[in-house]
Amino acid sequence: MSASPRHLFIGIGSAMAVVASLAGCTQKSDSTTADGAVQVVAKDDACEVSKKDIPAGHLKLDVENRGSKVTEVYVLFPDDRIAAERENIGPGTKASITAEVKAGDYEIACKPGMKGDGIRQKVTVTGAATAKRSPEMDAAVAAFRQYVQTQADETLPKAKEFTDAVRAGDVEAAKKAYAASRIGWERTEPVAESFGDIDPKVDVREDGLEAGQDPAKDWTGWHRLEKALWQDGKIGDREKELADLLDKDLQDWVKRVGTAEITPTSMANGAKELLDEVSRNKVTGEEERYSHTDLIDFKGNVEGAQKSFELLKPVAAKNDPQLVTELDKQFAALNTLLDKYRADKNGYDFTSYDKVGETERKELSDGVNALAEPLSKLAAAVTK
């Protein structure tokens, strides 16, 4: 996984405490648009929020980037877990964010240049109201949780095959088992933030470590072992310790699935943000920079995003049938494009990504972006 604010997140269900306001935030008039949306104006040096007292339930942010840099906007819990987000909002462009929020203290953060902690504005969500859900949406959440649980359960034996090889000091066997051990995780990444600190423990890249962290001591998970196997070509005592830790963290992940906070909007928003990450890190080859197994991760991510969409489709089809038609089309197109690089129709033997040329990578990037644009509208479609 890329360097991302999600690597700061801890503790599902942490108590919401009031946090100190940060410099550079600007409070505008206490107002919303006609449809109840909170207006957010992102600038290079300010994050202007039109309303600081927000009713519980469905939250919509209408974001406008008036700065000179590409920006990101987040709705954050006090412990920096993400309630909602939208990345890659270009200068002079607008975007909408839809989420479900309960009573408590939050921050809206604008991140010009998509770096740092962002410029933040405190907001308070009040009231006992909760987002209204239809039986179809409740069914979609339940089915997606079961899907995630199945993926997590099935990951454990595949991961153990990988870590057993590491513990045995067998570099070639570990290489062979590496990519397969990750597929289940990649499929569940639309809701990875709901697992708290599991993501940075198992899936962080070296350049995703926080400031002050020491790679020799603090870098754990798959990618640390990937580097040892492909770049260093050897397994030492530290790698064997990391194999044990990976097993432990994945077992913790399996236990967390049942209590993770999953909502229709987190499913929809997570699928879209995952596609953004694919475009940002997997299409570029940064994710699996040593093993070059990026296309396997890529396929797992698309499958997870598509599962989220398919479960939400009955609701979205009622509210925005044209959007559903477009999403069906773009998912099919991207899957067809990925199939060009797999050795068999149903398997996960994909072309090593270092063999994929720049023209082909551009084609993959265009396919991801063509899907991400309509996918950004899915959350709004399921909350109409």
Side-chain angles (χ1 to χ4, degrees), residues 8-15 79 81 193-198 256:
L8 301 174
F9 312 147
I10 58 173
I12 299 298
S14 298
D79 61 9
R81 285 181 297 122
E193 287 146 12
S194 67
F195 308 135
D197 61 352
I198 297 298
R256 294 191 190 193

Side-chain angles (χ1 to χ4, degrees), residues 4 54 65 89 135 165-166 175 185-186 207 229 232 292 305 323 361 363:
S4 163
I54 301 169
N65 183 2
I89 305 172
V166 173
K175 284 183 176 181
W185 172 263
E186 297 295 328
D207 55 353
L229 294 169
D232 304 334
H292 306 301
L323 175 65
R361 292 188 184 197
E363 184 181 31

